[in-house]
């Protein structure tokens, strides 16, 4: 059996010189073998391989790590132990038969029966364990070399198993509800050091996002958004409603008062200029002293008018201005010509280069302000964010209703991801397993579980011996 084990290992390429894995001398299932391994254990890329194929994404399953080698050495030691036990019961069987033929006594029959059953059990379990990874003794026996030949089907089954038992809506909801994310997150966030950490991370992320964005792109987007919004929205009715409310509330009177005061002060300071302007507009044939008297008269009347309008809240001119503004507010809302003129004026103003430059520069100012606030630990922005996080954490830690909302949001998001991308997740498992080299995968799996499987051979030998001894004893007791 030792020779048979060594022959089997040599045929399948299980071991090489000094216990190192060698390239297989034969392929148990050529149809499932995707490619021969390269020197580093990765499948070489063919002419039609993509960049990801050439990058050997499945290198972990196509190469042996030092830990894998150590595990495989343990498997080989257990194989020797199991094979040695098989040889031992075979030797016992031969000696028992020889002793029985030599007339040593009836006990030899019991020993021979136990040893014979032990050999049968050992050979049966050797066949079963070996059939998982390769064809026993290289013979094309059906339903052997299960892992190499059924690797892709096992990948599909594994993907379906994960999808049905781990990525189902009920399982995800039950697990997340047991975790209590809302309560835990609130308790964690309510601590000042954690709120400081989150605030710092948010500030870093904000600065990074603003650094990545190009000013020209954002300015173009902002300008286009403002222009599109302005073109889509007629402003005359809105201005009319606002003006109507201002006039109704008397809000414009302070502006009129200010204008009257400033006009009066200006007239007092510039009386000579006003009179010169009046005299300059007089006909050339009038005497100069007449022009002067007319200028003085016009200035005095103008100053009196402005003074009265400033000092008299019920001045007729103020009432006329109120009626004018009221009519103008009504025209802005209902008069077609007035509304069209306002729209034309709006387009002319927006079309001016100075206005467009102002719109474009708005982003630069906002960006500098935000970056400065994000960098300053004592800025109002960061202090408010920190305070909001602490408040939110405290509420989440104590408010069961808020905890329920947070848990519901998390569960809903997780269920959406699972139900939407379950096929992609399971196909990732299936495609990953399909991309593994069949024989190398079989060897790697054997390295991880083969030691335990060799105990099956040992147990089969022991259990078989006991069963054979029991059957022989019962047969003798019944006189068979």
């Amino acid at each position: 059996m030792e020779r048979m084990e060594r022959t089997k290992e040599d045929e399948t390429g299980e071991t090489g010189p000094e216990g190192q894995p060698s390239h297989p001398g034969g392929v148990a299932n050529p149809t499932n073998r995707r490619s021969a391994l390269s020197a580093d254990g990765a499948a070489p890329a063919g002419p039609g391989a993509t960049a990801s194929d050439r990058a050997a994404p499945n290198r972990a399953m196509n190469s042996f790590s030092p830990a894998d080698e150590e595990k495989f050495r343990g498997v080989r030691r257990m194989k020797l132990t199991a094979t040695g036990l098989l040889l031992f019961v075979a030797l016992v069987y031969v000696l028992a038969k020889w002793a029985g033929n030599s007339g040593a006594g009836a006990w030899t029959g019991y020993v021979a029966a136990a040893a014979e059953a032990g050999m049968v059990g050992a050979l049966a379990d050797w066949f079963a364990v070996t059939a998982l990874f390769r064809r026993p003794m290289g013979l094309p026996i059906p339903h052997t070399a299960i892992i190499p030949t059924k690797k892709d089907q096992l990948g599909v089954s594994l993907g379906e198993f994960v999808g049905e038992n781990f990525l189902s809506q009920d399982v995800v909801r039950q697990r997340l509800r047991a975790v209590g994310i809302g309560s835990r997150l609130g308790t964690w966030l309510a601590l000042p050091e954690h709120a400081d950490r989150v605030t710092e991370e948010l500030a870093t992320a904000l600065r990074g996002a603003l650094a990545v964005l190009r000013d020209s792109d954002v300015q173009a987007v902002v300008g286009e958004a403002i222009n599109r919004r302005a073109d889509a929205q007629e402003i005359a009715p809105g201005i009319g409603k606002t003006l109507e409310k201002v006039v109704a509330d008397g809000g414009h009177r302070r502006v009129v008062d200010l204008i009257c005061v400033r006009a009066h002060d200006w007239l007092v300071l510039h009386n000579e200029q006003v009179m010169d302007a009046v005299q300059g507009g007089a006909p050339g044939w009038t005497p100069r002293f007449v022009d002067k008297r007319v200028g003085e008269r016009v200035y005095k009347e103008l100053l009196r008018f402005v003074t009265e309008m400033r000092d008299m809240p019920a001045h007729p001119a103020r009432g006329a201005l109120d009626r004018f503004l009221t009519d103008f507010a009504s025209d802005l809302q209902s008069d077609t010509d007035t509304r069209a003129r306002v729209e034309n004026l709006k387009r002319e103003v927006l079309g001016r280069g100075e206005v467009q430059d102002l719109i474009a520069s708005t982003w630069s100012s906002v960006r500098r302000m935000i970056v400065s606030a994000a960098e300053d630990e004592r800025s109002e922005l960061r202090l408010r964010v920190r305070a909001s996080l602490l408040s939110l954490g405290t509420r989440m830690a104590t408010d069961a209703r808020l905890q329920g909302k947070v848990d519901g949001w998390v569960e809903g998001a997780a269920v959406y991801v699972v139900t939407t991308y379950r096929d992609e997740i399971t196909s990732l498992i299936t495609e990953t397993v399909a991309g593994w080299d069949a024989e190398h995968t079989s060897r790697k799996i054997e390295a991880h579980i083969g030691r335990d499987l060799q105990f099956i051979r040992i147990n089969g030998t022991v259990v078989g011996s006991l069963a054979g001894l029991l059957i022989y004893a019962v047969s003798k007791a019944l006189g068979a």
Side-chain angles (χ1 to χ4, degrees), residues 433-480:
V433 173
W436 292 344
D437 177 81
E439 292 187 10
H440 210 92
T441 301
S442 176
R443 285 172 48 76
K444 199 173 185 73
I445 294 175
E446 185 177 7
H448 284 263
I449 66 173
R451 193 170 184 275
D452 293 328
L453 293 177
Q454 297 308 312
F455 277 104
I456 295 178
R457 294 177 55 190
I458 296 174
N459 293 335
T461 305
V462 175
V463 173
S465 299
L466 295 176
L469 178 60
L470 178 63
I471 293 172
Y472 185 81
V474 171
S475 297
K476 284 297 184 180
L478 295 177

Side-chain angles (χ1 to χ4, degrees), residues 117-333:
M119 287 190 296
V120 173
L123 289 172
D125 288 338
W126 166 82
F127 182 90
V129 170
T130 303
L132 289 174
F133 306 102
R134 60 191 62 85
R135 299 191 186 279
M137 302 178 65
L139 299 176
I141 302 174
H143 304 292
T144 58
I146 294 175
I147 292 178
T149 58
K150 300 293 185 179
K151 174 180 66 68
D152 293 349
Q153 292 90 324
L154 291 174
V156 173
S157 299
L158 178 61
E160 293 176 350
F161 176 81
V162 172
E164 293 175 359
N165 296 279
F166 293 92
L167 300 180
S168 66
Q169 178 175 337
D170 294 338
V171 171
V172 172
R173 287 190 180 277
Q174 182 179 1
R175 181 56 183 167
L176 291 177
R177 192 174 296 115
V179 171
I181 294 179
S183 176
R184 291 190 178 187
L185 180 60
T187 303
W188 184 86
L189 196 58
L191 297 177
E193 58 270 22
H194 294 161
D196 292 338
R197 179 180 175 184
V198 174
T199 302
E200 179 64 30
E201 294 298 333
L202 290 175
T204 302
L206 180 60
R207 293 197 302 269
L210 293 178
V212 171
L213 294 175
R214 293 192 303 178
D215 287 348
S216 58
D217 294 339
V218 178
Q219 289 171 357
V221 171
V222 172
E224 194 273 337
I226 293 176
N227 291 330
R228 184 176 65 249
R229 178 66 177 175
D231 290 339
Q233 183 69 34
E234 187 179 1
I235 64 172
I239 296 176
K241 290 181 180 179
T242 304
L243 180 59
E244 184 179 40
K245 190 174 187 309
V246 168
V247 173
D249 295 340
H252 67 295
R253 291 169 186 164
R254 293 185 179 181
V255 178
V256 175
D257 292 341
L258 177 61
I259 293 175
C260 291
V261 171
R262 296 301 300 270
H264 176 271
D265 295 342
W266 187 87
L267 288 173
V268 171
L269 293 176
H270 300 85
N271 58 335
E272 296 292 339
Q273 289 89 332
V274 174
M275 289 187 291
D276 291 342
V278 175
Q279 294 175 25
W285 50 267
T286 58
R288 294 182 61 82
F289 74 92
V290 175
D291 295 339
K292 184 177 181 181
R293 294 295 299 274
V294 171
E296 292 175 352
R297 183 64 179 176
V298 170
Y299 171 75
K300 289 180 181 180
E301 290 296 326
L302 184 60
L303 182 61
R304 181 186 61 82
F305 174 80
V306 172
T307 303
E308 291 177 352
M309 191 172 179
R310 180 195 66 181
D311 299 336
M312 297 173 57
H315 193 277
R318 286 178 176 262
L321 180 61
D322 292 347
R323 290 189 296 273
F324 167 77
L325 292 176
T326 302
D327 294 341
F328 183 58
S330 177
D331 291 342
L332 287 173
Q333 299 179 65

Side-chain angles (χ1 to χ4, degrees), residues 38-153:
S38 61
D40 61 355
T50 63
S52 59
D53 295 331
R54 289 190 292 270
N58 295 316
R59 185 178 299 276
M61 287 302 296
N62 289 337
S63 62
F64 266 67
S65 65
D68 294 332
E69 293 294 346
E70 179 62 29
K71 291 178 180 178
F72 213 90
R73 283 191 287 270
V75 172
R76 284 195 291 269
R77 287 193 294 268
M78 288 305 303
K79 282 184 177 182
L80 292 175
T81 301
T83 302
L85 183 58
L86 172 60
L87 295 177
F88 172 74
V89 295
L91 178 61
V92 170
Y93 175 76
V94 172
L95 293 176
K97 283 295 186 181
W98 176 78
N101 293 333
S102 300
W107 62 269
T108 58
Y110 290 90
V111 174
E116 182 179 12
M119 287 190 296
V120 173
L123 289 172
D125 288 338
W126 166 82
F127 182 90
V129 170
T130 303
L132 289 174
F133 306 102
R134 60 191 62 85
R135 299 191 186 279
M137 302 178 65
L139 299 176
I141 302 174
H143 304 292
T144 58
I146 294 175
I147 292 178
T149 58
K150 300 293 185 179
K151 174 180 66 68
D152 293 349
Q153 292 90 324

